[in-house]
Amino acid sequence: MTELRQDPFTHDWVAIAPGREERPRRTPRPQSADGRPAQRAAADPACPFCPGREESTPPEIWRLPAPAGTAEADWAIRVVPNRYPVLDPGDRPARHHTSGLHTRADGTGSHEVVIESPDHDWDLADGDDTAVADILRAYRTRTRVLREARPGLVLPFRNHGAAAGTSLPHPHSQIVATPIVPLRFRHLFDVARAYYDDTGRCLYVDHTVAELADGRRVLAATEHAAALAPYAARAPYETWIVPQRHQASFADAPDKILEQTAALLRRTLAALRDLLGDVPYNYALISAPNGEEATAYFAWHLQIVPRLTEPAGFELGTGIAVNPVPPEHAAARLRQAIAALPAPALPVPPGPGCHR
Ligand code: UDP
Ligand code: ZN
Protein backbone atom coordinates (compact mmCIF):
# COMPACT_ATOMS: atom_id res chain seq x y z
CA MET A 1 0.00 0.00 0.00
CA THR A 2 1.26 3.46 -0.86
CA GLU A 3 0.94 6.35 1.56
CA LEU A 4 1.32 9.97 0.50
CA ARG A 5 3.05 12.00 3.19
CA GLN A 6 3.33 15.75 3.22
CA ASP A 7 6.66 17.20 4.27
CA PRO A 8 5.76 19.57 7.13
CA PHE A 9 8.62 21.92 6.20
CA THR A 10 8.10 22.28 2.43
CA HIS A 11 4.54 20.97 1.94
CA ASP A 12 5.93 18.73 -0.83
CA TRP A 13 4.35 15.28 -1.14
CA VAL A 14 6.33 12.05 -0.88
CA ALA A 15 4.99 8.63 -1.95
CA ILE A 16 6.04 5.96 0.55
CA ALA A 17 5.59 2.90 -1.70
CA PRO A 18 7.07 -0.33 -0.26
CA GLY A 19 5.46 -2.40 -3.07
CA ARG A 20 7.94 -0.85 -5.52
CA GLU A 21 10.80 -2.73 -3.85
CA GLU A 22 9.53 -5.99 -5.34
CA ARG A 23 9.76 -5.00 -8.99
CA PRO A 24 12.26 -6.99 -11.02
CA ARG A 25 15.39 -5.41 -12.45
CA ARG A 26 16.64 -6.69 -15.77
CA THR A 27 19.87 -5.74 -17.49
CA PRO A 28 19.79 -2.92 -20.01
CA ARG A 29 20.92 -3.72 -23.54
CA PRO A 30 24.69 -4.02 -23.99
CA GLN A 31 26.62 -1.00 -25.19
CA SER A 32 29.82 -0.63 -27.18
CA ALA A 33 32.65 1.74 -26.20
CA ASP A 34 31.00 4.76 -27.85
CA GLY A 35 27.88 4.22 -25.81
CA ARG A 36 25.73 3.02 -28.70
CA PRO A 37 23.84 -0.25 -28.41
CA ALA A 38 26.43 -2.90 -29.37
CA GLN A 39 24.04 -5.32 -30.97
CA ARG A 40 20.42 -6.20 -30.96
CA ALA A 41 19.60 -7.58 -27.54
CA ALA A 42 18.24 -11.08 -27.81
CA ALA A 43 14.59 -11.08 -26.79
CA ASP A 44 14.59 -11.98 -23.12
CA PRO A 45 12.45 -15.10 -22.57
CA ALA A 46 11.51 -13.76 -19.14
CA CYS A 47 10.57 -10.25 -20.37
CA PRO A 48 7.01 -9.54 -19.17
CA PHE A 49 6.37 -7.15 -22.07
CA CYS A 50 7.41 -9.36 -25.01
CA PRO A 51 4.82 -10.89 -27.37
CA GLY A 52 3.69 -14.33 -26.30
CA ARG A 53 3.80 -13.29 -22.62
CA GLU A 54 0.70 -11.09 -22.70
CA GLU A 55 -0.79 -13.13 -19.84
CA SER A 56 2.07 -12.04 -17.57
CA THR A 57 0.66 -8.51 -17.36
CA PRO A 58 -2.60 -7.64 -15.60
CA PRO A 59 -5.54 -7.42 -18.04
CA GLU A 60 -4.86 -5.02 -20.87
CA ILE A 61 -6.46 -1.56 -20.71
CA TRP A 62 -5.96 -0.43 -24.31
CA ARG A 63 -4.21 -1.60 -27.45
CA LEU A 64 -3.31 -0.37 -30.89
CA PRO A 65 -3.70 -3.41 -33.15
CA ALA A 66 -0.80 -4.29 -35.43
CA PRO A 67 -1.22 -3.42 -39.09
CA ALA A 68 -2.60 -6.35 -41.08
CA GLY A 69 0.06 -8.82 -42.16
CA THR A 70 2.44 -8.19 -39.23
CA ALA A 71 3.97 -11.48 -38.16
CA GLU A 72 5.52 -10.54 -34.81
CA ALA A 73 2.39 -9.85 -32.75
CA ASP A 74 -1.23 -8.83 -33.19
CA TRP A 75 -0.60 -5.56 -31.33
CA ALA A 76 1.57 -2.53 -31.99
CA ILE A 77 1.13 -0.84 -28.58
CA ARG A 78 -0.38 -2.18 -25.35
CA VAL A 79 -1.34 -0.21 -22.25
CA VAL A 80 -1.47 -2.36 -19.10
CA PRO A 81 -1.66 -1.69 -15.35
CA ASN A 82 1.76 -1.47 -13.70
CA ARG A 83 2.21 -4.62 -11.62
CA TYR A 84 4.24 -2.72 -9.01
CA PRO A 85 2.44 0.63 -8.98
CA VAL A 86 3.67 3.79 -7.26
CA LEU A 87 0.00 4.48 -6.43
CA ASP A 88 -2.64 1.89 -5.59
CA PRO A 89 -5.54 1.67 -8.05
CA GLY A 90 -8.56 3.74 -7.02
CA ASP A 91 -10.68 6.63 -8.22
CA ARG A 92 -11.68 8.34 -5.03
CA PRO A 93 -10.28 11.78 -4.19
CA ALA A 94 -7.46 11.47 -1.64
CA ARG A 95 -8.70 11.75 1.95
CA HIS A 96 -6.30 13.67 4.11
CA HIS A 97 -5.55 12.72 7.70
CA THR A 98 -3.69 15.13 9.96
CA SER A 99 -2.23 14.31 13.32
CA GLY A 100 -0.09 16.98 14.93
CA LEU A 101 2.33 18.25 12.29
CA HIS A 102 1.93 15.17 10.11
CA THR A 103 -0.44 15.06 7.13
CA ARG A 104 -0.91 12.00 4.99
CA ALA A 105 -3.28 11.04 2.19
CA ASP A 106 -4.39 7.77 0.66
CA GLY A 107 -1.92 6.76 -2.03
CA THR A 108 -4.57 5.91 -4.59
CA GLY A 109 -4.47 6.81 -8.25
CA SER A 110 -3.41 4.99 -11.34
CA HIS A 111 -0.13 3.69 -12.77
CA GLU A 112 -0.06 2.29 -16.29
CA VAL A 113 2.70 0.98 -18.54
CA VAL A 114 2.66 1.82 -22.25
CA ILE A 115 4.41 -1.06 -24.04
CA GLU A 116 5.58 0.84 -27.08
CA SER A 117 6.45 -2.00 -29.44
CA PRO A 118 6.39 -5.80 -29.59
CA ASP A 119 10.11 -5.61 -30.52
CA HIS A 120 12.20 -6.04 -27.36
CA ASP A 121 15.09 -4.11 -28.90
CA TRP A 122 13.21 -1.24 -30.53
CA ASP A 123 13.81 2.29 -29.39
CA LEU A 124 11.98 5.57 -29.90
CA ALA A 125 14.98 7.07 -31.68
CA ASP A 126 14.94 4.13 -34.14
CA GLY A 127 11.27 4.48 -34.90
CA ASP A 128 9.61 6.46 -37.63
CA ASP A 129 7.48 9.52 -37.02
CA THR A 130 4.28 7.50 -37.27
CA ALA A 131 5.33 5.03 -34.58
CA VAL A 132 6.27 7.87 -32.20
CA ALA A 133 3.00 9.66 -32.99
CA ASP A 134 1.11 6.45 -32.13
CA ILE A 135 2.79 6.43 -28.70
CA LEU A 136 1.79 10.07 -28.13
CA ARG A 137 -1.75 9.13 -29.23
CA ALA A 138 -1.76 6.43 -26.55
CA TYR A 139 -0.80 9.08 -23.96
CA ARG A 140 -3.56 11.36 -25.25
CA THR A 141 -6.22 8.64 -25.23
CA ARG A 142 -5.40 7.45 -21.72
CA THR A 143 -5.00 10.97 -20.32
CA ARG A 144 -8.47 11.90 -21.58
CA VAL A 145 -9.89 8.98 -19.61
CA LEU A 146 -7.73 9.28 -16.50
CA ARG A 147 -8.27 13.01 -15.98
CA GLU A 148 -12.03 12.41 -15.62
CA ALA A 149 -11.53 9.95 -12.79
CA ARG A 150 -10.22 12.18 -10.01
CA PRO A 151 -8.82 15.60 -9.21
CA GLY A 152 -5.04 15.62 -9.47
CA LEU A 153 -2.55 15.22 -12.26
CA VAL A 154 -1.94 12.86 -15.19
CA LEU A 155 1.72 12.47 -16.14
CA PRO A 156 3.05 10.42 -19.06
CA PHE A 157 6.82 9.89 -18.74
CA ARG A 158 9.64 7.73 -20.01
CA ASN A 159 12.84 6.45 -18.39
CA HIS A 160 15.69 5.39 -20.67
CA GLY A 161 18.85 3.78 -19.34
CA ALA A 162 19.89 2.58 -15.90
CA ALA A 163 21.01 6.04 -14.72
CA ALA A 164 17.53 7.33 -15.58
CA GLY A 165 15.84 4.71 -13.40
CA THR A 166 14.88 2.07 -15.96
CA SER A 167 14.30 -1.37 -14.49
CA LEU A 168 13.25 -3.10 -17.73
CA PRO A 169 14.83 -2.72 -21.18
CA HIS A 170 11.73 -3.53 -23.27
CA PRO A 171 10.64 -0.20 -24.84
CA HIS A 172 7.96 1.32 -22.68
CA SER A 173 6.80 4.46 -21.00
CA GLN A 174 4.42 5.02 -18.10
CA ILE A 175 1.39 7.11 -17.19
CA VAL A 176 0.72 7.99 -13.57
CA ALA A 177 -2.43 9.71 -12.31
CA THR A 178 -1.97 11.25 -8.87
CA PRO A 179 -4.80 12.17 -6.48
CA ILE A 180 -3.05 15.38 -5.40
CA VAL A 181 -1.45 18.22 -7.33
CA PRO A 182 2.22 18.42 -6.41
CA LEU A 183 3.56 21.65 -4.94
CA ARG A 184 5.67 22.29 -8.02
CA PHE A 185 2.49 22.83 -10.04
CA ARG A 186 1.15 25.32 -7.55
CA HIS A 187 4.34 27.30 -8.09
CA LEU A 188 4.21 26.98 -11.91
CA PHE A 189 0.60 28.15 -11.86
CA ASP A 190 1.34 31.06 -9.52
CA VAL A 191 4.12 32.34 -11.80
CA ALA A 192 2.10 31.88 -14.99
CA ARG A 193 -1.06 33.41 -13.49
CA ALA A 194 0.80 36.50 -12.28
CA TYR A 195 2.19 36.94 -15.82
CA TYR A 196 -1.29 36.55 -17.28
CA ASP A 197 -2.76 39.04 -14.81
CA ASP A 198 -0.05 41.56 -15.73
CA THR A 199 -0.08 41.10 -19.52
CA GLY A 200 -3.25 39.25 -20.52
CA ARG A 201 -1.10 36.67 -22.30
CA CYS A 202 0.16 33.11 -21.79
CA LEU A 203 3.74 33.08 -20.48
CA TYR A 204 4.49 29.79 -22.26
CA VAL A 205 3.34 30.98 -25.70
CA ASP A 206 5.11 34.33 -25.28
CA HIS A 207 8.25 32.43 -24.31
CA THR A 208 8.09 30.20 -27.38
CA VAL A 209 7.47 33.14 -29.70
CA ALA A 210 10.38 35.09 -28.21
CA GLU A 211 12.73 32.09 -28.36
CA LEU A 212 11.84 31.37 -31.99
CA ALA A 213 12.55 35.01 -32.85
CA ASP A 214 15.87 34.91 -30.97
CA GLY A 215 16.93 31.56 -32.41
CA ARG A 216 19.97 30.84 -30.22
CA ARG A 217 18.27 28.09 -28.24
CA VAL A 218 16.08 26.66 -31.04
CA LEU A 219 16.86 23.08 -32.09
CA ALA A 220 14.14 22.75 -34.72
CA ALA A 221 10.64 24.00 -35.39
CA THR A 222 7.63 23.03 -37.43
CA GLU A 223 4.48 24.96 -38.23
CA HIS A 224 2.86 24.30 -34.85
CA ALA A 225 5.57 23.04 -32.47
CA ALA A 226 9.18 23.75 -31.53
CA ALA A 227 12.11 22.04 -29.80
CA LEU A 228 14.02 24.47 -27.58
CA ALA A 229 16.80 24.41 -25.02
CA PRO A 230 15.40 26.27 -21.99
CA TYR A 231 17.21 29.50 -21.11
CA ALA A 232 17.87 28.23 -17.58
CA ALA A 233 18.32 24.56 -18.50
CA ARG A 234 18.98 22.57 -15.30
CA ALA A 235 20.78 19.73 -17.10
CA PRO A 236 23.14 19.41 -20.09
CA TYR A 237 21.16 19.11 -23.34
CA GLU A 238 17.81 19.56 -21.59
CA THR A 239 15.21 20.10 -24.31
CA TRP A 240 11.57 21.14 -24.26
CA ILE A 241 9.12 20.42 -27.04
CA VAL A 242 6.32 22.95 -26.97
CA PRO A 243 3.23 23.87 -28.96
CA GLN A 244 3.26 27.28 -30.63
CA ARG A 245 -0.37 27.93 -29.74
CA HIS A 246 -1.95 28.10 -26.38
CA GLN A 247 -3.13 24.73 -25.05
CA ALA A 248 -3.09 23.80 -21.37
CA SER A 249 -3.36 20.01 -21.69
CA PHE A 250 -1.67 17.70 -24.17
CA ALA A 251 -4.84 15.59 -24.06
CA ASP A 252 -6.52 18.35 -26.09
CA ALA A 253 -3.79 18.56 -28.73
CA PRO A 254 -5.17 18.08 -32.25
CA ASP A 255 -3.56 15.48 -34.52
CA LYS A 256 -1.47 18.01 -36.40
CA ILE A 257 0.27 19.30 -33.26
CA LEU A 258 0.63 15.79 -31.84
CA GLU A 259 2.27 14.58 -35.06
CA GLN A 260 4.67 17.51 -35.18
CA THR A 261 5.54 16.95 -31.52
CA ALA A 262 6.31 13.31 -32.37
CA ALA A 263 8.51 14.35 -35.30
CA LEU A 264 10.47 16.74 -33.06
CA LEU A 265 10.70 14.22 -30.22
CA ARG A 266 12.09 11.49 -32.44
CA ARG A 267 14.63 13.81 -34.01
CA THR A 268 15.75 15.20 -30.66
CA LEU A 269 16.32 11.69 -29.27
CA ALA A 270 18.09 10.55 -32.46
CA ALA A 271 20.29 13.67 -32.40
CA LEU A 272 21.13 13.14 -28.72
CA ARG A 273 22.18 9.59 -29.53
CA ASP A 274 24.25 10.65 -32.55
CA LEU A 275 26.04 13.27 -30.45
CA LEU A 276 26.45 11.53 -27.11
CA GLY A 277 25.78 7.82 -27.58
CA ASP A 278 22.93 5.98 -25.90
CA VAL A 279 22.59 8.50 -23.06
CA PRO A 280 20.21 7.88 -20.20
CA TYR A 281 17.33 10.34 -20.14
CA ASN A 282 13.92 10.94 -18.69
CA TYR A 283 11.11 12.78 -20.33
CA ALA A 284 7.87 14.00 -18.79
CA LEU A 285 4.83 15.41 -20.55
CA ILE A 286 3.59 18.22 -18.31
CA SER A 287 -0.03 19.39 -18.61
CA ALA A 288 -2.35 21.48 -16.47
CA PRO A 289 -3.90 19.55 -13.56
CA ASN A 290 -7.23 17.77 -14.10
CA GLY A 291 -10.11 20.21 -14.43
CA GLU A 292 -7.79 23.13 -15.27
CA GLU A 293 -7.59 22.34 -18.98
CA ALA A 294 -9.36 25.54 -19.98
CA THR A 295 -6.88 27.81 -18.25
CA ALA A 296 -5.56 30.63 -20.44
CA TYR A 297 -2.22 30.97 -18.70
CA PHE A 298 -0.53 27.55 -18.77
CA ALA A 299 0.62 25.45 -21.74
CA TRP A 300 1.71 21.82 -21.88
CA HIS A 301 5.36 21.02 -22.58
CA LEU A 302 7.44 17.88 -23.02
CA GLN A 303 10.63 18.07 -20.95
CA ILE A 304 13.53 15.84 -22.00
CA VAL A 305 16.31 15.65 -19.42
CA PRO A 306 19.47 13.64 -20.24
CA ARG A 307 21.07 12.23 -17.09
CA LEU A 308 24.69 13.19 -17.60
CA THR A 309 25.48 14.77 -14.24
CA GLU A 310 24.90 13.63 -10.65
CA PRO A 311 23.40 16.17 -8.29
CA ALA A 312 25.78 16.49 -5.32
CA GLY A 313 26.04 18.37 -2.03
CA PHE A 314 25.81 21.86 -3.48
CA GLU A 315 22.61 20.99 -5.35
CA LEU A 316 21.24 19.21 -2.28
CA GLY A 317 21.94 22.15 -0.01
CA THR A 318 20.94 25.01 -2.29
CA GLY A 319 18.48 23.54 -4.78
CA ILE A 320 20.56 25.28 -7.47
CA ALA A 321 21.31 22.95 -10.39
CA VAL A 322 24.80 23.12 -11.89
CA ASN A 323 24.74 22.73 -15.67
CA PRO A 324 28.20 22.53 -17.27
CA VAL A 325 26.86 22.91 -20.85
CA PRO A 326 25.46 26.36 -21.73
CA PRO A 327 22.06 25.80 -23.34
CA GLU A 328 23.11 27.87 -26.39
CA HIS A 329 25.97 25.39 -27.04
CA ALA A 330 23.72 22.40 -26.48
CA ALA A 331 21.10 23.85 -28.85
CA ALA A 332 23.68 24.59 -31.55
CA ARG A 333 25.07 21.04 -31.41
CA LEU A 334 21.63 19.43 -31.37
CA ARG A 335 20.43 21.73 -34.17
CA GLN A 336 23.33 20.56 -36.33
CA ALA A 337 22.79 16.92 -35.42
CA ILE A 338 19.08 17.18 -36.26
CA ALA A 339 19.88 18.81 -39.60
CA ALA A 340 22.31 15.95 -40.36
CA LEU A 341 19.77 13.20 -39.66
CA PRO A 342 18.75 11.08 -42.63
CA ALA A 343 15.51 11.99 -44.41
CA PRO A 344 12.63 12.50 -44.09
CA ALA A 345 12.82 16.22 -43.43
CA LEU A 346 10.61 17.75 -40.77
CA PRO A 347 6.96 17.82 -41.84
CA VAL A 348 6.33 21.55 -42.23
CA PRO A 349 9.03 24.12 -41.61
CA PRO A 350 8.01 27.24 -39.72
CA GLY A 351 6.93 30.28 -41.67
CA PRO A 352 6.70 33.91 -40.60
CA GLY A 353 3.94 34.58 -38.11
CA CYS A 354 3.27 30.88 -37.70
CA HIS A 355 2.78 30.99 -33.96
CA ARG A 356 -0.62 32.63 -33.69
N1 UDP B 1 6.63 -3.84 -14.28
C1 UDP B 1 5.37 -4.36 -14.55
N2 UDP B 1 5.23 -5.72 -14.70
C2 UDP B 1 6.28 -6.58 -14.58
C3 UDP B 1 7.56 -6.04 -14.31
C4 UDP B 1 7.70 -4.66 -14.17
O1 UDP B 1 4.40 -3.62 -14.66
O2 UDP B 1 6.09 -7.79 -14.71
C5 UDP B 1 6.78 -2.38 -14.16
C6 UDP B 1 7.65 -1.90 -13.01
O3 UDP B 1 6.89 -1.73 -11.84
C7 UDP B 1 8.20 -0.58 -13.52
C8 UDP B 1 8.01 -0.67 -15.03
O4 UDP B 1 7.45 -1.93 -15.32
O5 UDP B 1 7.50 0.54 -13.03
C9 UDP B 1 9.31 -0.48 -15.74
O6 UDP B 1 9.54 0.88 -15.66
P1 UDP B 1 10.92 1.60 -15.88
O7 UDP B 1 11.91 0.65 -16.46
O8 UDP B 1 10.64 2.82 -16.70
O9 UDP B 1 11.45 2.07 -14.49
P2 UDP B 1 10.89 2.05 -13.02
O10 UDP B 1 9.45 2.41 -13.04
O11 UDP B 1 11.16 0.68 -12.52
O12 UDP B 1 11.74 3.08 -12.33
ZN1 ZN C 1 10.70 -7.77 -24.14
Side-chain angles (χ1 to χ4, degrees):
M1 289 293 283
T2 295
E3 187 177 77
L4 291 167
R5 292 191 181 179
Q6 193 177 44
D7 182 322
F9 304 106
T10 63
H11 287 193
D12 266 338
W13 289 95
V14 174
I16 309 288
R20 293 283 286 164
E21 276 288 31
E22 289 154 32
R23 72 194 194 282
R25 300 205 155 262
R26 311 198 77 79
T27 27
R29 57 184 179 171
Q31 292 188 356
S32 59
D34 68 356
R36 285 163 167 278
Q39 77 242 6
R40 283 182 65 83
D44 175 352
C47 173
F49 299 157
C50 266
R53 304 204 70 238
E54 285 82 357
E55 80 299 337
S56 73
T57 67
E60 187 174 295
I61 298 167
W62 184 87
R63 79 159 48 183
L64 179 70
T70 312
E72 195 172 20
D74 56 358
W75 52 272
I77 297 177
R78 298 176 76 221
V79 179
V80 299
N82 193 312
R83 200 177 264 291
Y84 309 92
V86 169
L87 295 162
D88 304 315
D91 284 348
R92 64 182 185 276
R95 282 175 319 206
H96 289 42
H97 313 269
T98 301
S99 128
L101 289 174
H102 293 157
T103 297
R104 66 189 167 82
D106 304 329
T108 50
S110 157
H111 192 167
E112 301 179 355
V113 178
V114 180
I115 307 172
E116 298 164 340
S117 165
D119 182 348
H120 186 79
D121 196 40
W122 185 82
D123 190 33
L124 266 189
D126 305 325
D128 56 23
D129 292 345
T130 317
V132 180
D134 284 341
I135 293 165
L136 297 189
R137 262 186 264 276
Y139 299 165
R140 185 177 65 180
T141 303
R142 289 306 303 151
T143 303
R144 283 178 180 166
V145 174
L146 289 165
R147 73 181 180 186
E148 298 301 325
R150 64 184 75 68
L153 193 75
V154 180
L155 183 79
F157 64 93
R158 186 173 210 262
N159 307 326
H160 177 84
T166 312
S167 57
L168 282 183
H170 193 111
H172 68 280
S173 34
Q174 307 186 47
I175 305 174
V176 169
T178 67
I180 44 92
V181 178
L183 184 64
R184 172 168 185 259
F185 279 74
R186 199 188 295 174
H187 180 63
L188 292 178
F189 260 50
D190 285 350
V191 173
R193 187 157 39 199
Y195 183 88
Y196 186 81
D197 286 347
D198 290 345
T199 65
R201 295 192 308 270
C202 170
L203 171 63
Y204 289 80
V205 175
D206 273 10
H207 171 264
T208 301
V209 170
E211 286 297 290
L212 284 171
D214 178 297
R216 278 174 294 174
R217 287 170 293 274
V218 178
L219 279 58
T222 60
E223 190 184 4
H224 297 300
L228 308 169
Y231 171 71
R234 296 177 64 82
Y237 300 92
E238 177 178 346
T239 299
W240 287 25
I241 300 180
V242 295
Q244 293 189 34
R245 283 160 203 229
H246 176 75
Q247 189 150 62
S249 174
F250 180 78
D252 299 318
D255 279 341
K256 219 188 222 178
I257 297 188
L258 180 147
E259 285 157 12
Q260 293 179 18
T261 301
L264 290 167
L265 172 60
R266 188 182 76 73
R267 282 165 183 77
T268 302
L269 296 179
L272 270 174
R273 198 172 65 178
D274 282 355
L275 270 185
L276 304 166
D278 193 23
V279 281
Y281 66 80
N282 303 102
Y283 72 58
L285 182 48
I286 312 285
S287 288
N290 306 342
E292 309 266 0
E293 295 83 11
T295 176
Y297 48 81
F298 187 83
W300 63 264
H301 46 283
L302 177 61
Q303 282 185 315
I304 307 165
V305 181
R307 296 296 175 189
L308 294 162
T309 51
E310 282 286 342
F314 176 76
E315 292 86 337
L316 171 74
T318 62
I320 298 174
V322 180
N323 178 359
V325 183
E328 295 74 22
H329 294 189
R333 294 192 72 200
L334 285 169
R335 185 162 58 236
Q336 258 182 2
I338 289 177
L341 288 171
L346 274 166
V348 189
C354 56
H355 45 266
R356 294 281 183 206

